[in-house]
Amino acid sequence: SSATIANMLRDGYRVDVEDDPQAGLFRAADGSYECILVTSAYTTYDPLRLCAQLRALDRTRLLPVMLVADRGDDAMIARALELGVNDYIVRPVDQQELMARLRTQLRRKRYNDRLRSSDPLTGLHNRRYLDTHLPRLLARAAARGRPLSVMMADIDCFKAINDSWGHQGGDDVLREFADRLRQNIRGIDLICRFGGEEFVVVMPDTPLDVAETVAERLRVAIASDPFTVDGGKNAIAVTTSVGVVATAGAHDDPATLLKRVDLALYDAKNAGRNCVVAPAA
């Protein structure tokens, strides 16, 4: 029974039990669950239909789903796997086997989550991750009455680097830029590759003057030492332009903040590149 399985997992996991399949579907969509177990023991509902619905909904499409089936129920298990169920376990459920299979699914999910939320070239968070987390950080700053600053850095003349050294050379520069960014940004800051050669840093609990100081430190770290390309055989000068803005009250939403920092970056480009622009709100 579901109570037995919940008891087996009690020590290592938080388990919510829902006996109504439709209610379970809605809970799965609204909650932050890491795995869904579906039992085949429904008498009034087709468990495969529930599995199909879980796979069809955007919010649960990527969640691991495990089917708890009866021994000998091979046709249902085969159909469930065709529908995209990740794994199954047969009754009577063995606790050790259940734990092992669940651990495998959670490990895969967390690995895939990291892939989806990070940029494969630089290892930094990606735009999707920023879009998810910036609203939360902004809301938290507003609730606490604390400042929050955002920095947008762009590699100067990146097209010329690609034209001269090819995409491999461009990738070398992007990787090294990301490394220097990590080394010169504080642990509390959220660093994302925004797209192309643009990077965004969200800086909680940080007023504009402090953010400007961090941005200037980054600018110097980029310009001070050449970047190696072509397998380390050549070194080229790289600079960055940086825009910095801070929150300006309750009317600042994520889109407004990103638009303001984009304009600050544009001003830095127009000012001759290799500089920081941090306009007061």
Side-chain angles (χ1 to χ4, degrees), residues 35-110:
C35 188
I36 307 293
L37 274 72
V38 176
T39 177
S40 67
Y42 292 118
T43 51
T44 58
Y45 196 87
D46 179 2
L48 294 181
R49 185 172 169 221
L50 179 57
C51 293
Q53 287 174 317
L54 285 164
R55 279 291 162 263
L57 274 181
D58 270 354
R59 289 189 183 185
T60 56
R61 190 165 47 86
L62 300 170
L63 270 180
V65 178
M66 284 178 61
L67 179 72
V68 183
D70 288 319
R71 195 174 297 282
D73 216 347
D74 296 346
M76 178 180 280
I77 291 168
R79 182 80 185 103
L81 293 171
E82 283 172 18
L83 287 169
V85 166
N86 301 73
D87 201 359
Y88 66 92
I89 190 163
V90 295
R91 281 184 282 264
V93 174
D94 176 79
Q95 184 177 19
Q96 294 307 314
E97 185 186 3
L98 174 65
M99 297 283 271
R101 288 176 180 269
L102 188 57
R103 271 196 301 270
T104 299
Q105 292 307 320
L106 296 181
R107 201 161 48 236
R108 282 182 188 159
K109 177 187 183 292
R110 288 164 189 169

Side-chain angles (χ1 to χ4, degrees), residues 149-153 181 184-185 189-190 199-203 211-216 218 242-245 258 261:
S149 293
V150 177
M151 174 198 310
M152 186 179 279
L181 194 49
N184 288 279
I185 298 300
D189 300 329
L190 169 63
F199 297 81
V200 167
V201 182
V202 183
M203 311 170 79
E212 187 176 2
T213 302
V214 176
E216 178 60 21
L218 171 68
V242 189
V244 186
V245 299
L258 289 173
V261 76

